[in-house]
Amino acid sequence: MDRFDAELTQQLLAIRQAGLYRELRQIGTGQGPHIKLGNQTFLNFASNDYLGLANHPALKTAAIKAIERFGTGSGASRLMSGSVAPHHELEDALAAFKGTEAALSFSSGYAAAIGTICALLGPEDVIVLDKLVHACIVDAAKLSRAKIRVFKHNDLNSLETILKWACGKSCKSKSLNRRAKILVVTESVFSMDGDCAPLPEIVEAKDRYGAWLMVDEAHATGVYGPTGAGLIQQLGLSNRIEIQLATLGKALGSAGGAICGRRKLIELLVNRARSFIYSTAPVPAAAAAATAAIQLVQSETGAQLRSILWENVRLFKSTAQVAYPEAPSHIVPIHVGTETGAVQLSATLFERGYYIPAIRFPTVPRGKARLRISLTAAHTADEVRSLSATLKQLVTQDKYVQNSPATCNS
Ligand SMILES: *Cc1c(COP(=O)(O)O)cnc(C)c1O
């Protein structure tokens, strides 16, 4: 035990010295624009609860009803002890929402990515990732043992070069079932940069090379598109993308992940996705809350919440008076660079009552540490203005995002 302790002490010290130490901070309130640490209240600009639904009465009521009817636990995997109604209701709602034939829910977005990619690809295959895809996609790619190729962030030339190589390789095999599969994976709205993938062009490219496409809509679901289904909906690409990943724990205010696509895809995942098969089903209350959220997001109330969110985004853009992407999104990175600098800025903001943790390696590359502001529909205009004013005092202009022109909000 002593050696084990000594080893861990050393590793923790190294993490601290690199400015990468992380710790949990207990809060005494639920998710929302105001959170309480100890007895001090902070303005929370770190939550992915973009529409403020995590505490919405409609979701709470749906969860409570599900508990009363189905209890708190789910007992086993859905294939083992029966699949309760709330999961099926959720999957029907998701498929209708996303405009796909079917959907399958998982206990998390992370589990959905791991289960799906490993169900579809093996060592003979090729997976092509945008440089900035989420850790769960990277982990899934590694676990699948497919050959991993990475294209420059949102760079179509870089993608095309890789697809050309992969296609040449794939087409060498004469037998169809020996032919390598090629899967391209990107996010629609990027989690730590807030910019958007050029999806129409990526769809064209993957079609040209006979590849498949998986799009992670973790940060677009609920927020983009005429009924909030995501950027894929906004661009009218739903039936041209093989695999859509959604999360239920961000704008949808619940927890869990989902894959949406063809019925055959869902059928295969039920048979092959190990994170689905060998994991206890999500609790019925989470599924019921997510279903209520999907209904709400598509309603007039959902449209109003989105319009408040975009109003807050515009207000922040105009009052912060800084270089800001042409087409703003609800995720705004403030680039600091050094890990310690980002931690310091976060600490200063914390002293002034703002909760905006520093995002560091390995979430983002080394030396690209930043603060990540997420604006939500639950923030008031005054709260957004006060953040702008505080940032103007603390941050020099060049620290604001200078991404490739975002194409999010057409
Ligand atoms: C949060 C997130 C996930 C994982 O979803 P969870 O439900 O939190 O496990 C996947 N992809 C992206 C881009 C995310 O931001």
Side-chain angles (χ1 to χ4, degrees):
M1 280 305 253
D2 283 353
R3 275 192 56 192
F4 182 60
D5 252 26
E7 170 67 31
L8 301 195
T9 305
Q10 199 178 36
Q11 286 194 27
L12 285 165
L13 187 67
I15 294 171
R16 270 188 198 280
Q17 283 170 343
L20 297 175
Y21 190 74
R22 300 170 187 226
E23 65 191 322
L24 295 171
R25 284 192 272 201
Q26 184 174 337
I27 62 172
T29 40
Q31 276 308 302
H34 311 117
I35 53 173
K36 218 167 171 179
L37 283 90
N39 44 25
Q40 207 187 334
T41 302
F42 291 83
L43 260 178
N44 180 15
F45 283 99
S47 178
N48 299 324
D49 180 20
Y50 300 123
L51 299 178
L53 297 189
N55 262 292
H56 194 282
L59 275 71
K60 287 188 193 176
T61 305
I64 292 164
K65 274 197 184 150
I67 290 174
E68 282 167 350
R69 189 144 166 239
F70 297 97
T72 51
S74 34
S77 160
R78 285 168 66 190
L79 288 161
M80 284 287 286
S81 65
S83 175
V84 296
H87 295 306
H88 293 270
E89 285 158 15
L90 168 60
E91 287 161 354
D92 290 347
L94 270 165
F97 180 44
K98 295 275 185 178
T100 58
E101 280 180 13
L104 187 68
S105 67
F106 288 74
S107 52
S108 69
Y110 192 106
I114 299 272
T116 303
I117 289 173
C118 294
L120 293 172
L121 301 184
E124 298 301 310
D125 303 320
V126 179
I127 186 163
V128 187
L129 309 177
D130 183 285
K131 176 89 173 94
L132 296 187
V133 289
H134 191 262
C136 67
I137 309 277
V138 176
D139 294 355
K142 287 180 181 161
L143 193 62
S144 76
R145 297 187 296 148
K147 286 170 199 69
I148 302 173
R149 291 292 181 275
V150 176
F151 63 99
K152 284 189 209 148
H153 177 53
N154 282 347
D155 185 323
L156 293 162
N157 289 330
S158 172
L159 170 64
E160 181 115 12
T161 306
I162 293 169
L163 284 174
K164 218 173 263 172
W165 164 83
C167 185
K169 186 178 164 304
S170 145
C171 298
K172 269 186 207 135
S173 170
K174 289 198 182 66
S175 120
L176 185 64
N177 48 16
R178 288 266 186 78
R179 206 168 268 183
K181 295 168 223 132
I182 308 166
L183 176 66
V184 178
V185 192
T186 187
E187 291 177 29
S188 59
V189 177
F190 280 84
S191 61
M192 295 297 143
D193 292 73
D195 58 345
C196 292
L199 287 182
E201 291 82 2
I202 292 177
V203 166
E204 292 293 329
K206 67 93 184 169
D207 279 347
R208 266 201 309 281
Y209 291 94
W212 302 336
L213 177 60
M214 176 170 179
V215 177
D216 182 343
E217 291 238 82
H219 297 277
T221 301
V223 178
Y224 287 81
T227 66
L231 189 64
I232 293 173
Q233 180 195 42
Q234 182 168 306
L235 300 169
L237 292 172
S238 196
N239 55 17
R240 296 189 63 192
I241 292 168
E242 284 77 5
I243 307 153
Q244 300 189 34
L245 170 66
T247 57
L248 312 176
K250 288 169 179 154
L252 297 181
S254 180
I259 295 292
C260 305
R262 291 284 175 86
R263 201 172 303 285
K264 287 246 154 53
L265 168 67
I266 302 310
E267 207 178 316
L268 185 82
L269 294 179
V270 169
N271 284 275
R272 283 267 178 82
R274 295 169 64 89
S275 62
F276 176 83
I277 300 168
Y278 298 107
S279 188
T280 300
V283 294
T291 307
I294 291 166
Q295 256 119 43
L296 198 143
V297 157
Q298 293 173 282
S299 73
E300 191 48 42
T301 311
Q304 276 162 11
L305 289 171
R306 279 190 294 282
S307 99
I308 296 170
L309 171 61
W310 293 118
E311 201 42 59
N312 279 344
V313 171
R314 272 190 290 277
L315 178 63
F316 184 69
K317 181 185 173 183
S318 62
T319 54
Q321 288 174 356
V322 286
Y324 195 100
E326 266 313 296
S329 89
H330 55 307
I331 299 166
V332 188
I334 298 175
H335 289 288
V336 177
T338 65
E339 284 70 28
T340 45
V343 171
Q344 245 165 37
L345 180 57
S346 170
T348 308
L349 283 161
F350 190 75
E351 278 163 24
R352 300 191 182 197
Y354 299 91
Y355 191 77
I356 311 175
I359 309 286
R360 293 159 288 167
F361 178 83
T363 308
V364 294
R366 272 184 212 282
K368 296 213 165 162
R370 68 196 65 176
L371 263 56
R372 172 188 182 270
I373 294 169
S374 48
L375 297 163
T376 77
H379 293 114
T380 65
D382 279 346
E383 288 164 353
V384 174
R385 272 191 213 100
S386 90
L387 175 66
S388 293
T390 308
L391 284 171
K392 257 200 282 192
Q393 291 170 6
L394 298 177
V395 185
T396 52
Q397 295 225 356
D398 61 320
K399 298 248 168 72
Y400 280 86
V401 67
Q402 296 284 356
N403 269 322
S404 53
T407 48
C408 303
N409 209 8
S410 56

PDB file of all heavy atoms in Angstrom, residues 108-110 134 136 187 191 216 218-219 247 250 256, ligand 1:
ATOM      1  N   SER A 108     -25.206   7.137 -21.554  1.00  0.00           N
ATOM      2  CA  SER A 108     -24.534   8.430 -21.733  1.00  0.00           C
ATOM      3  C   SER A 108     -24.152   8.592 -23.197  1.00  0.00           C
ATOM      4  O   SER A 108     -24.137   7.605 -23.958  1.00  0.00           O
ATOM      5  CB  SER A 108     -23.272   8.522 -20.860  1.00  0.00           C
ATOM      6  OG  SER A 108     -22.293   7.635 -21.333  1.00  0.00           O
ATOM      7  N   GLY A 109     -23.807   9.805 -23.573  1.00  0.00           N
ATOM      8  CA  GLY A 109     -23.291  10.029 -24.917  1.00  0.00           C
ATOM      9  C   GLY A 109     -21.980   9.283 -25.110  1.00  0.00           C
ATOM     10  O   GLY A 109     -21.709   8.748 -26.183  1.00  0.00           O
ATOM     11  N   TYR A 110     -21.197   9.253 -24.057  1.00  0.00           N
ATOM     12  CA  TYR A 110     -19.914   8.546 -24.094  1.00  0.00           C
ATOM     13  C   TYR A 110     -20.148   7.068 -24.425  1.00  0.00           C
ATOM     14  O   TYR A 110     -19.500   6.502 -25.320  1.00  0.00           O
ATOM     15  CB  TYR A 110     -19.244   8.707 -22.721  1.00  0.00           C
ATOM     16  CG  TYR A 110     -17.791   8.295 -22.671  1.00  0.00           C
ATOM     17  CD1 TYR A 110     -16.784   9.248 -22.614  1.00  0.00           C
ATOM     18  CD2 TYR A 110     -17.431   6.961 -22.656  1.00  0.00           C
ATOM     19  CE1 TYR A 110     -15.453   8.882 -22.566  1.00  0.00           C
ATOM     20  CE2 TYR A 110     -16.101   6.578 -22.605  1.00  0.00           C
ATOM     21  CZ  TYR A 110     -15.119   7.541 -22.559  1.00  0.00           C
ATOM     22  OH  TYR A 110     -13.804   7.179 -22.513  1.00  0.00           O
ATOM     23  N   HIS A 134     -14.582  15.071 -29.788  1.00  0.00           N
ATOM     24  CA  HIS A 134     -14.667  14.810 -28.351  1.00  0.00           C
ATOM     25  C   HIS A 134     -13.893  13.541 -27.959  1.00  0.00           C
ATOM     26  O   HIS A 134     -13.790  12.589 -28.739  1.00  0.00           O
ATOM     27  CB  HIS A 134     -16.149  14.642 -28.000  1.00  0.00           C
ATOM     28  CG  HIS A 134     -16.441  14.617 -26.536  1.00  0.00           C
ATOM     29  ND1 HIS A 134     -16.617  13.451 -25.838  1.00  0.00           N
ATOM     30  CD2 HIS A 134     -16.614  15.621 -25.645  1.00  0.00           C
ATOM     31  CE1 HIS A 134     -16.895  13.734 -24.575  1.00  0.00           C
ATOM     32  NE2 HIS A 134     -16.902  15.045 -24.431  1.00  0.00           N
ATOM     33  N   CYS A 136     -14.692  11.041 -26.259  1.00  0.00           N
ATOM     34  CA  CYS A 136     -15.386   9.746 -26.341  1.00  0.00           C
ATOM     35  C   CYS A 136     -15.252   9.148 -27.739  1.00  0.00           C
ATOM     36  O   CYS A 136     -15.219   7.923 -27.898  1.00  0.00           O
ATOM     37  CB  CYS A 136     -16.848   9.874 -25.925  1.00  0.00           C
ATOM     38  SG  CYS A 136     -17.901  10.839 -27.010  1.00  0.00           S
ATOM     39  N   GLU A 187     -18.086  16.620 -35.173  1.00  0.00           N
ATOM     40  CA  GLU A 187     -19.157  17.214 -34.383  1.00  0.00           C
ATOM     41  C   GLU A 187     -19.845  18.235 -35.278  1.00  0.00           C
ATOM     42  O   GLU A 187     -19.240  18.742 -36.214  1.00  0.00           O
ATOM     43  CB  GLU A 187     -18.578  17.910 -33.139  1.00  0.00           C
ATOM     44  CG  GLU A 187     -18.008  16.929 -32.141  1.00  0.00           C
ATOM     45  CD  GLU A 187     -17.352  17.588 -30.927  1.00  0.00           C
ATOM     46  OE1 GLU A 187     -17.742  18.696 -30.530  1.00  0.00           O
ATOM     47  OE2 GLU A 187     -16.433  16.964 -30.379  1.00  0.00           O
ATOM     48  N   SER A 191     -17.511  21.397 -29.228  1.00  0.00           N
ATOM     49  CA  SER A 191     -17.788  21.599 -27.807  1.00  0.00           C
ATOM     50  C   SER A 191     -16.921  22.669 -27.147  1.00  0.00           C
ATOM     51  O   SER A 191     -17.391  23.376 -26.269  1.00  0.00           O
ATOM     52  CB  SER A 191     -17.611  20.280 -27.055  1.00  0.00           C
ATOM     53  OG  SER A 191     -16.288  19.812 -27.173  1.00  0.00           O
ATOM     54  N   ASP A 216     -21.749  14.104 -34.345  1.00  0.00           N
ATOM     55  CA  ASP A 216     -22.035  14.255 -32.923  1.00  0.00           C
ATOM     56  C   ASP A 216     -22.723  15.614 -32.719  1.00  0.00           C
ATOM     57  O   ASP A 216     -22.105  16.660 -32.901  1.00  0.00           O
ATOM     58  CB  ASP A 216     -20.705  14.172 -32.162  1.00  0.00           C
ATOM     59  CG  ASP A 216     -20.861  14.277 -30.652  1.00  0.00           C
ATOM     60  OD1 ASP A 216     -21.929  14.728 -30.187  1.00  0.00           O
ATOM     61  OD2 ASP A 216     -19.903  13.925 -29.941  1.00  0.00           O
ATOM     62  N   ALA A 218     -24.013  16.762 -29.852  1.00  0.00           N
ATOM     63  CA  ALA A 218     -24.135  17.010 -28.409  1.00  0.00           C
ATOM     64  C   ALA A 218     -24.489  18.464 -28.097  1.00  0.00           C
ATOM     65  O   ALA A 218     -25.327  18.729 -27.232  1.00  0.00           O
ATOM     66  CB  ALA A 218     -22.842  16.617 -27.700  1.00  0.00           C
ATOM     67  N   HIS A 219     -23.858  19.396 -28.816  1.00  0.00           N
ATOM     68  CA  HIS A 219     -24.057  20.812 -28.477  1.00  0.00           C
ATOM     69  C   HIS A 219     -25.033  21.525 -29.416  1.00  0.00           C
ATOM     70  O   HIS A 219     -25.247  22.724 -29.288  1.00  0.00           O
ATOM     71  CB  HIS A 219     -22.707  21.531 -28.448  1.00  0.00           C
ATOM     72  CG  HIS A 219     -21.826  20.969 -27.396  1.00  0.00           C
ATOM     73  ND1 HIS A 219     -21.910  21.343 -26.084  1.00  0.00           N
ATOM     74  CD2 HIS A 219     -20.900  19.972 -27.446  1.00  0.00           C
ATOM     75  CE1 HIS A 219     -21.059  20.632 -25.366  1.00  0.00           C
ATOM     76  NE2 HIS A 219     -20.435  19.792 -26.183  1.00  0.00           N
ATOM     77  N   THR A 247     -26.934  13.935 -27.289  1.00  0.00           N
ATOM     78  CA  THR A 247     -26.878  13.725 -25.844  1.00  0.00           C
ATOM     79  C   THR A 247     -28.154  14.289 -25.236  1.00  0.00           C
ATOM     80  O   THR A 247     -28.755  15.224 -25.754  1.00  0.00           O
ATOM     81  CB  THR A 247     -25.638  14.373 -25.200  1.00  0.00           C
ATOM     82  OG1 THR A 247     -25.633  15.759 -25.498  1.00  0.00           O
ATOM     83  CG2 THR A 247     -24.361  13.748 -25.727  1.00  0.00           C
ATOM     84  N   LYS A 250     -27.511  17.727 -22.100  1.00  0.00           N
ATOM     85  CA  LYS A 250     -27.120  19.121 -22.311  1.00  0.00           C
ATOM     86  C   LYS A 250     -28.400  19.956 -22.466  1.00  0.00           C
ATOM     87  O   LYS A 250     -29.113  20.121 -21.501  1.00  0.00           O
ATOM     88  CB  LYS A 250     -26.127  19.194 -23.459  1.00  0.00           C
ATOM     89  CG  LYS A 250     -24.802  18.599 -22.953  1.00  0.00           C
ATOM     90  CD  LYS A 250     -23.747  18.314 -23.949  1.00  0.00           C
ATOM     91  CE  LYS A 250     -22.533  17.759 -23.191  1.00  0.00           C
ATOM     92  NZ  LYS A 250     -21.686  16.915 -23.997  1.00  0.00           N
ATOM     93  N   GLY A 256     -28.010  11.061 -20.465  1.00  0.00           N
ATOM     94  CA  GLY A 256     -28.025   9.917 -21.374  1.00  0.00           C
ATOM     95  C   GLY A 256     -27.555  10.330 -22.757  1.00  0.00           C
ATOM     96  O   GLY A 256     -27.251  11.502 -23.008  1.00  0.00           O
TER      97      GLY A 256
HETATM   98  C1  LIG B   1     -20.754  15.777 -23.618  1.00  0.00           C
HETATM   99  C2  LIG B   1     -20.327  15.234 -24.922  1.00  0.00           C
HETATM  100  C3  LIG B   1     -20.396  13.874 -25.201  1.00  0.00           C
HETATM  101  C4  LIG B   1     -20.707  12.841 -24.166  1.00  0.00           C
HETATM  102  O1  LIG B   1     -22.018  12.880 -23.734  1.00  0.00           O
HETATM  103  P1  LIG B   1     -22.360  12.464 -22.246  1.00  0.00           P
HETATM  104  O2  LIG B   1     -23.798  12.182 -22.270  1.00  0.00           O
HETATM  105  O3  LIG B   1     -21.982  13.626 -21.386  1.00  0.00           O
HETATM  106  O4  LIG B   1     -21.547  11.245 -21.926  1.00  0.00           O
HETATM  107  C5  LIG B   1     -20.110  13.463 -26.487  1.00  0.00           C
HETATM  108  N1  LIG B   1     -19.712  14.337 -27.436  1.00  0.00           N
HETATM  109  C6  LIG B   1     -19.593  15.645 -27.178  1.00  0.00           C
HETATM  110  C7  LIG B   1     -19.155  16.569 -28.259  1.00  0.00           C
HETATM  111  C8  LIG B   1     -19.884  16.136 -25.916  1.00  0.00           C
HETATM  112  O5  LIG B   1     -19.724  17.430 -25.655  1.00  0.00           O
END
